[in-house]
């Protein structure tokens, strides 16, 4: 290494730091990859995918973990880049010019993909979309690029990582000519760990209620109409008039038969309660005390349910989540309701009045509001 560059390097810019922070990043990215695929497959299920109705809090945990870990990756990524970036500008050796250039190109792909995932994911939690591509599809595709780049990078660097981890941080030899001034490696690793914990706590409260008092950066505080946050209002969905129309009737189609139910008809049926969380892809979740008609009882009022999936269609016509499909296991579950009330009050308009679907262990975007029709497929 040229003496001038070496003199500028802090001893904390070392293989010891890069390897340890890199391992933490790799574990975090693996968690993000798995939890992200779970959310994607629930929303766009392939034929082989199965997701249980119970425990009712499972999606709340997986997606809350996904967003919280994603934010925790930010300080780790910054420390990792700081520790290695001077090496990107070293002139490749003549003997290993091509391998070194290829390695740097693969690292550039890795950095770009991970930065893209973190930045777009962070913007999604705030529902801020300064781009023209569809976030869900692009984020899902880039997840494979980022995870694949991590696997390739680990395979290339595994001998170096094993060597770095085999000795204490303080015993790694200094680079030739490297100054000893500056922050120590141990201090940097401690700071990286503390920064990661603080970043996680700053947003974890939107998923973990008792942490809300410390989660100053959480996009959702847990507050909202009837004690539950909302993502999309009735005004934004352009359903204010149709949802309040005296002529409103929920069309239910089962076994070739169809029947309409007014709000009063639904209230006249046996009412049940379910304590279920509503959890959104942005990471926030909140528990609600819902009451209304069991879906399986409502279907039985019309015809014999044949055991297939059931489609729910909203009065909303402007959004991309105006309908959802509920698998059989959720349809027959006793906690799945056509909800009419939330936390002891008539369902607020922004929460889906006159009625909405609420089912266990599902993303909020699939808990269709302002129901227009229910149809067995």
């Amino acid at each position: 290494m040229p003496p001038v560059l070496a003199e500028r390097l802090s001893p904390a810019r070392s293989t010891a730091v890069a390897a340890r922070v890199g391992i933490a990043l790799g574990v975090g990215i693996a968690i993000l990859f798995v939890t992200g695929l779970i959310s994607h497959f629930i929303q766009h299920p392939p034929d082989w995918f199965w997701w249980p109705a119970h425990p009712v809090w499972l999606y709340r945990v997986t997606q809350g973990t996904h967003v919280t870990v994603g934010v925790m990756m930010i300080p780790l990524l910054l420390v990792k880049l700081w520790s290695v970036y001077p090496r990107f500008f070293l002139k490749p050796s003549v003997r290993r010019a091509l391998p070194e250039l290829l390695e740097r190109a693969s690292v550039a792909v890795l950095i770009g993909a991970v930065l893209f995932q973190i930045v777009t994911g962070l913007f999604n939690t705030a529902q801020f979309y300064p781009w023209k591509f569809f976030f869900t599809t692009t984020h899902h595709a880039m997840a494979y690029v980022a995870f694949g780049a991590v696997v390739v990078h680990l395979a290339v660097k595994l001998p170096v990582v094993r060597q770095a981890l085999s000795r204490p941080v303080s015993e790694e030899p200094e680079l030739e000519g490297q100054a000893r001034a500056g922050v120590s490696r141990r201090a940097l690793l401690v700071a990286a760990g503390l920064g990661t914990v603080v970043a996680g706590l700053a947003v974890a409260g939107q998923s973990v209620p008792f942490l809300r008092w410390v989660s100053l950066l959480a996009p959702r505080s847990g507050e909202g109409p009837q004690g539950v946050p909302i993502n999309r209002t009735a005004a934004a969905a352009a359903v204010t008039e149709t949802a309040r129309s005296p002529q409103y009737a929920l069309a239910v189609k089962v076994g070739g038969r169809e029947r309409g139910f007014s709000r009063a008809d639904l209230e006249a049926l046996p009412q049940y309660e379910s304590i279920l969380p509503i959890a959104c892809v942005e990471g926030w979740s909140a528990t609600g005390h819902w009451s209304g008609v069991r879906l399986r009882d409502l279907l039985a009022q019309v015809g014999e349910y044949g055991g297939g999936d059931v489609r729910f269609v909203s009065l909303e016509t402007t959004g991309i989540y105006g309908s959802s499909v509920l698998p059989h296991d959720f349809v027959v579950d006793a906690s799945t309701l056509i909800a009419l009330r939330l936390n002891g009050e008539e369902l607020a308009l922004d929460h889906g009045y006159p009625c909405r679907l609420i089912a266990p262990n599902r993303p909020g975007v699939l808990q269709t509001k302002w129901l227009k029709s229910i149809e067995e497929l």
Side-chain angles (χ1 to χ4, degrees):
M1 179 178 292
V4 174
L5 177 58
E7 290 173 1
R8 292 201 303 264
L9 292 181
S10 163
R13 286 193 168 111
S14 67
T15 305
V17 170
R20 286 164 173 80
V21 175
I23 290 296
L25 273 171
V27 171
I29 290 172
I31 293 172
L32 292 174
F33 185 66
V34 172
T35 53
L37 285 185
I38 288 173
S39 183
H40 182 82
F41 288 155
I42 294 172
Q43 297 178 62
H44 310 280
D47 293 338
W48 53 265
F49 182 75
W50 175 79
W51 183 248
H54 292 268
V56 299
W57 44 259
L58 184 57
Y59 181 76
R60 181 182 202 174
V61 171
T62 61
Q63 193 61 16
T65 299
H66 182 81
V67 173
T68 302
V69 171
V71 174
M72 293 172 71
M73 292 297 98
I74 296 175
L76 287 177
L77 182 60
L78 292 176
V79 171
K80 173 74 170 179
L81 292 176
W82 178 86
S83 69
V84 302
Y85 89 87
R87 291 168 172 78
F88 297 158
F89 303 101
L90 296 178
K91 184 178 180 179
S93 63
V94 175
R95 187 165 55 89
R96 300 192 68 253
L98 182 58
E100 288 185 17
L101 287 174
L102 290 176
E103 180 184 342
R104 293 183 194 185
S106 68
V107 171
V109 172
L110 170 60
I111 294 172
V114 172
L115 282 174
F116 178 89
Q117 291 296 87
I118 289 178
V119 171
T120 57
L122 196 62
F123 281 12
N124 181 61
T125 64
Q127 296 185 310
F128 176 58
Y129 306 105
W131 50 71
K132 295 184 179 180
F133 57 82
F134 182 43
F135 166 78
T136 303
T137 303
T138 309
H139 197 71
H140 173 244
M142 286 299 293
Y144 291 97
V145 177
F147 186 73
V150 168
V151 172
V152 171
H153 185 66
L154 179 59
V156 171
K157 289 294 188 180
L158 187 57
V160 178
V161 171
R162 291 180 63 182
Q163 185 179 19
L165 296 179
S166 66
R167 55 179 175 246
V169 176
S170 59
E171 293 183 7
E172 185 180 64
E174 304 289 345
L175 294 170
E176 182 181 353
Q178 185 175 12
R180 293 179 177 272
V183 65
S184 70
R185 296 163 186 156
R186 193 178 303 278
L188 180 62
L189 289 173
V190 170
L194 289 175
T196 301
V197 172
V198 169
L201 290 175
V203 297
Q206 64 177 358
S207 306
V208 185
F210 69 84
L211 291 177
R212 282 177 182 156
W213 65 279
V214 296
S215 294
L216 303 179
L217 300 181
R220 302 292 188 276
S221 65
E223 298 178 357
Q226 298 175 307
V228 177
I230 58 168
N231 271 5
R232 191 163 176 80
T233 65
V239 298
T240 302
E241 293 185 5
T242 52
R244 289 174 171 166
S245 171
Q247 285 74 44
Y248 170 81
L250 172 64
V252 182
K253 304 174 185 178
V254 182
R257 301 179 61 187
E258 179 177 350
R259 177 180 168 185
F261 292 84
S262 66
R263 167 83 188 200
D265 293 333
L266 294 172
E267 290 176 339
L269 295 174
Q271 303 290 296
Y272 294 88
E273 295 186 356
S274 291
I275 301 176
L276 295 175
I278 185 162
C280 282
V281 293
E282 293 88 355
W284 67 263
S285 58
T287 299
H289 291 241
W290 310 86
S291 61
V293 184
R294 282 178 177 167
L295 174 60
R296 65 190 188 189
D297 294 345
L298 181 62
L299 298 179
Q301 291 287 321
V302 180
E304 184 177 353
Y305 169 55
D309 294 345
V310 174
R311 182 186 300 278
F312 297 79
V313 178
S314 173
L315 293 169
E316 178 182 5
T317 59
T318 57
I320 59 175
Y321 293 106
S323 66
S324 67
V325 175
L326 195 65
H328 165 79
D329 289 354
F330 294 82
V331 173
V332 298
D333 193 275
S335 60
T336 299
L337 300 180
I338 303 304
L340 305 177
R341 288 171 295 279
L342 171 59
N343 290 334
E345 301 176 356
E346 181 180 87
L347 201 64
L349 185 61
D350 285 340
H351 276 306
Y353 177 90
C355 63
R356 68 169 298 162
L357 169 67
I358 186 70
N361 203 26
R362 299 266 286 173
V365 293
L366 301 183
Q367 308 278 32
T368 307
K369 299 194 288 187
W370 311 296
L371 285 175
K372 175 183 178 181
S373 66
I374 302 174
E375 179 181 7
E376 180 186 7
L377 299 179

